[in-house]
Amino acid sequence: MLKTTLAGLLAHRLRLVLTALAITLGVGFIAGTFVLNDTVQAGFSERVTADADKVTVAVLPTKEGGIQERTLERVRAVPGVTEAYGLVRGSAPLLGKDGKAVGDIPTTAISVVTGPLDRTTIVSGTGPGSDDGAAVLDKNTAKAQGFKVGDTITVLDHRRTEHRFKLVGLFDTGVDQRLSYTGALGFTTATAQLMTGEKTYQEIDVAGTADPAALKRAVKDAVGSGMDVVTGSELAAALSEEAGVQIEVMTTGLLMFGAVAMMVAALVIYNTFGILVAQRTREMALLRCIGATRRQVFGSIVLESAVVGLVASLLGLAVGYGLAALTLTVLGALDAPLPTDAPLTLAPKTIAAGLGIGLVVTMCAALLPARSATRVAPIAALRSQVEEQTFRTGVLRAVFAALFLLAGAATTVYATVALEPGDQVALFVVMAGGALTFVAVLILGPVLVKPLSAVIGWLPARLFGVPGRLAVDNSGRNPRRAATTTVALTIGVTLMTLISVLTASTRLTLTAKLDNQFPVDYMLSSQDGESSIPRSVAEGLRKAPQFGSVLQLRGVTATVSGRRYDVGTYEGADAKPEISSGSLAGFAAGQAALADYAATQLGVRVGDSVTLRTKRAGAVPLKVVAVLVGTNSSLPPVTVPAAALDSYFGQVPDARVMVNIRDGVDPAQARKIVDAVTDPYPMVKVASSTDVRGQFDETLDMLLMIITGLLGLAILISLLGIANTLSLSVHERTRESALLRALGLTRPQLRRMLSVEALVLGLIGALVGVVLGGVFGWAAVKVMITGAVFSVPVGQIALFVALSGAAGVLAAVLPARRAARASIVTSLASG
């Protein structure tokens, strides 16, 4: 039986190559994800360990407030300490070549020490050393802003005073995700304190001659209970874990796509082994006739699947290794904040996982076909033509399908109606509803194939004449196998449609919300997000005749009836807050308007009073005269009159300024005026509604492109299934095709018949996927966003359907060519 099994493998090389390719792609994706994760993690660990080796002991604050200078002095006095430096970290906005602050949030300034405790990786130039007029900049920010070593850069200190420094070097932010996000500047310790205004340290690094554990105890005794003291290795572990969190999120996301690919591959393998069993009915019957037992026949199919699974999994590991190398190359070219130069790591667990997943999926998918093989009666060896399997809709199938369909619908309706939008639980409930519904569709698949093929094939049957009508009949001939084939394609199209609907609906919903939140032409805000825009900016814009309205928003954080809230005001004629209850008529000192959520938290309503506590005015009683709708509101939780805010807190600068241009004014001219007024204030950022929408659309488009590319793998695997199904169709209908040829069907007509059959199968899978993806895409966006607006990207979905049909036709090329080239006489004589 072993020799027979191996001979069978060699006899059906093409079919097995397609099967192996399906599992190779699935395993390759998963293995590549593991290799990428292991490599990046190893790179992070290598960097962290290299840095931590320089530190014997580190002192960290256990709460906010930092470490005082006196603590550093006590550490330096500990016996066995050779060096100890405090590390400074704080905001210091870098100005770009246009004179405006770089980025959406201020650049982070850090202190760079000299000597053995220097943990800054300089990639170009030198460090600042002891030169207070020198600075280093992280390489990614330097590249984005066009700075190079030797340039003069301008940085704002904590008082927003400009300072100029010579750029002496570029450095790598390493595993610090915060520095990668904000961008980083490096100075001497004294300059870092001057620029950031920080009086305390974020960390103290210690080098010593004593044993790390003993030095840790000594330093701990010196600094007291308010500090956390760790060894260099413990610090490395903490930093590596912190950096690895982002990688774990990415890995989990990629593995989800890998799981989809493996599920589709399992369906293809199941179909393929069904094909092999059907093709070898007479062969297995002959084996039974000459003494092979059912167990031996079953074992031969399982052994065949194990060999295919093992070979394909080994190839998948190689493919995964290559994919990981390609990904790291691309990430390196994009300057991703990852150690892309680390050597590729193929860990034993990755090898075990790849081989294990490939073998298990392949062998499990082959069990049912193997079981079917044991039912082949020896008398089947005497039959002259392979029998086609008949399909009947059973009562159990109908009952189970109805149960799953009702459960899926009820779960989805419950999530969209009973649960609060934005609740993560609601999204998981929708996913559960989608899974239950998909199981129902899977059970009903063979029932749906015949009517769907008749509907979808109506037009091809008329366009392509006799070959078209034959193709439509053939597509529903073996409903069970056709349903399994189309399900593989349905999974991919469902997910792609779901993502498209989710993206389009999110785009439309958030654009509508943006129109409510950003009903202006220009919005001015401070980079640090605080009230720091001089009021003179709004006054200057208000004087310009090009602008129809200028609205100012300002505020501070204060205690209101025991809770911390932003207390602010608005100034401008166009402010029209949406009022839930009460009125703002005669709004004056001693009164306040609360957002609905703040009123609920404080347990007050219109007519009640709250107490505002300020350093300037002390305890101020405020009467609640209105409750405002807090959703999509630009106002703070507690709003008071403009004059009253000044009396409570003094002349607070603006936090945001909203500007509308007059009708008929050229937007380009208006923008020049806005830029001219804000030019003296580098921290003031100017954004237009067009800019905000453009950034948002760009992010969504990139996300859609990435996800579509990843799901394309599942589509590719499903096409292998269509090719396999058509190959079986060609084999089963060898004599039938020859008879059609003998009756006058030409070779091009035979090829056309098989191509139309593949087209119909592809369209069935695509249209079922479009319906499922549309329904559950809408359900997902409804539970994710309050007030969601449904949007169907008709163009994208039509493209998915067209590509699915075209891909099906492409998959039919080889089987159709094989059928057309077969000899009529030989085929009629075949048994």
Side-chain angles (χ1 to χ4, degrees), residues 750-777:
L750 182 60
R751 287 197 295 268
R752 193 179 308 140
M753 180 187 78
L754 292 172
S755 297
V756 172
E757 184 178 338
L759 172 67
V760 172
L761 288 175
L763 290 178
I764 289 174
L767 290 177
V768 173
V770 164
V771 173
L772 289 174
V775 170
F776 288 98

Side-chain angles (χ1 to χ4, degrees), residues 412-466:
T412 306
V413 170
Y414 170 73
T416 56
V417 174
L419 298 179
E420 287 292 326
D423 186 355
Q424 193 174 16
V425 174
L427 184 59
F428 284 114
V429 174
V430 167
M431 290 171 62
L436 290 169
T437 305
F438 192 82
V439 171
V441 172
L442 193 63
I443 296 171
L444 283 174
V447 181
L448 297 174
V449 163
K450 210 155 194 174
L452 284 177
S453 64
V455 173
I456 293 171
W458 181 84
L459 184 61
R462 278 151 183 77
L463 288 177
F464 297 102
V466 173

Side-chain angles (χ1 to χ4, degrees), residues 790-814:
F790 186 46
S791 176
V792 179
V794 178
Q796 283 184 3
I797 291 176
L799 182 63
F800 293 156
V801 174
L803 288 176
S804 298
V809 173
L810 185 64
V813 170
L814 287 178

